[in-house]
Amino acid sequence: MTTTRRERERTDEQDAEHVDPDEVDEDDLVRTNDGELIHEPTGLIIEEDNVDRGPEWRAFNATERDRKSRVGSPMTQTIHDKGLTTSIDWRNRDASGRQLSAEKRSRMERLRTWQERIRTQDAGERNLQFALSEIERMSSAQGVPKSVREVASMIYRRALQEDLIRGRSIEAMATASLYAGCRQEGIPRSLDDFVRVARVERREIARAYRYISGELKLALKPVDPAEHVPRFCSKLGLPEGVKRRATRIVDETTAQGLHAGKSPTGYAAAAIYLASMLSDEKRTQSEIADVADVTVVTVRNRYKEQMDAVDPGSL
């Protein structure tokens, strides 16, 4: 048996010597983890000279890899220059952590001033810098994830490139871009949520949002009231069972078209009120209205409509 195996290996070696690399079948080629290209039936190595494009240093954990890496931060749309320019730190300390002298502190302050000046070359960049800082401020106030900030920054950049900002409020357009980013990424935030942190009135933001979505042809789906249910239930301290029941109420009534023309936040608040009553976890209409930022009348009216449209026993 050993002799047969040796004869077979010797035959394979002889076959490999007579194989023409240009005539091998591509289906028989296999790429190894080391990057070598091998003819599987004969073991002939077709390609072996590969360029190692990885770092020349070794790292055995994430901390060591970050410490040895010599690349900068990734590009981001949330900064007007995409994070490609140099940033001078505000701490007046050297590389060893020692405090700088008075003379060097004065020099660093002048360098920071000139650095801020040269980062914006024209009015368009200054416009973008201010708008993106507003988007960042409002995103932090509302707890919006970074992915939405990137999308909102891209929407504002497109509006600026197509000259949609001229003659309009930068704050309103920035807020509208952030609201459109939340709508596009499926993050449940209402327009009233941004009115509380914006520096313009609701009417201006709504007008800017309609203008941006129309001119840029943003494919934005209608807001699903069920998206607001988890956030409102969390603020009210309601258990998981109430959240599931409220979601079922929203799903059943929206399937009947009852939500058409209604405020999504008010609709979700009414479903939560009905679900809390059915689950013996009752919250007052006033409490729920405060969390949803709607009036008590809205909660009461939507609650009556939903109560008539669903069968409480099936929930």
Side-chain angles (χ1 to χ4, degrees), residues 134-144 149 178 189 193-194 196-198:
E134 282 292 289
I135 290 175
E136 186 70 20
R137 179 185 65 82
M138 291 184 289
S139 299
S140 299
Q142 286 295 321
V144 174
R149 303 180 192 188
L178 183 56
R189 293 293 186 276
D193 291 333
F194 292 110
R196 289 195 294 268
V197 297

Side-chain angles (χ1 to χ4, degrees), residues 257-272:
L258 197 63
H259 70 299
K262 308 295 194 309
S263 167
T265 52
Y267 202 84
I272 293 172

Side-chain angles (χ1 to χ4, degrees), residues 1 10 38 53 56-57 77 85 118 121 126 140-141 183 197 202 234 248 257 300 311:
M1 185 174 180
R10 191 180 301 111
I38 298 177
R53 302 185 184 277
E56 76 279 7
W57 41 263
Q77 301 292 337
T85 58
I118 65 176
Q121 300 293 332
R126 287 192 294 272
S140 299
R183 291 279 300 271
V197 297
R202 188 184 194 280
S234 177
R248 286 198 300 270
R300 186 181 305 120
D311 180 13

Side-chain angles (χ1 to χ4, degrees), residues 19-32:
V19 171
D20 186 355
D22 297 331
E23 297 180 356
V24 297
D25 189 356
E26 293 184 358
D27 295 335
D28 295 333
L29 298 180
V30 177
R31 180 76 67 176
T32 65

Side-chain angles (χ1 to χ4, degrees), residues 8-25:
R8 186 165 57 252
E9 292 175 354
R10 191 180 301 111
T11 302
D12 291 342
E13 292 176 358
Q14 293 174 356
D15 292 342
E17 293 176 356
H18 293 88
V19 171
D20 186 355
D22 297 331
E23 297 180 356
V24 297
D25 189 356

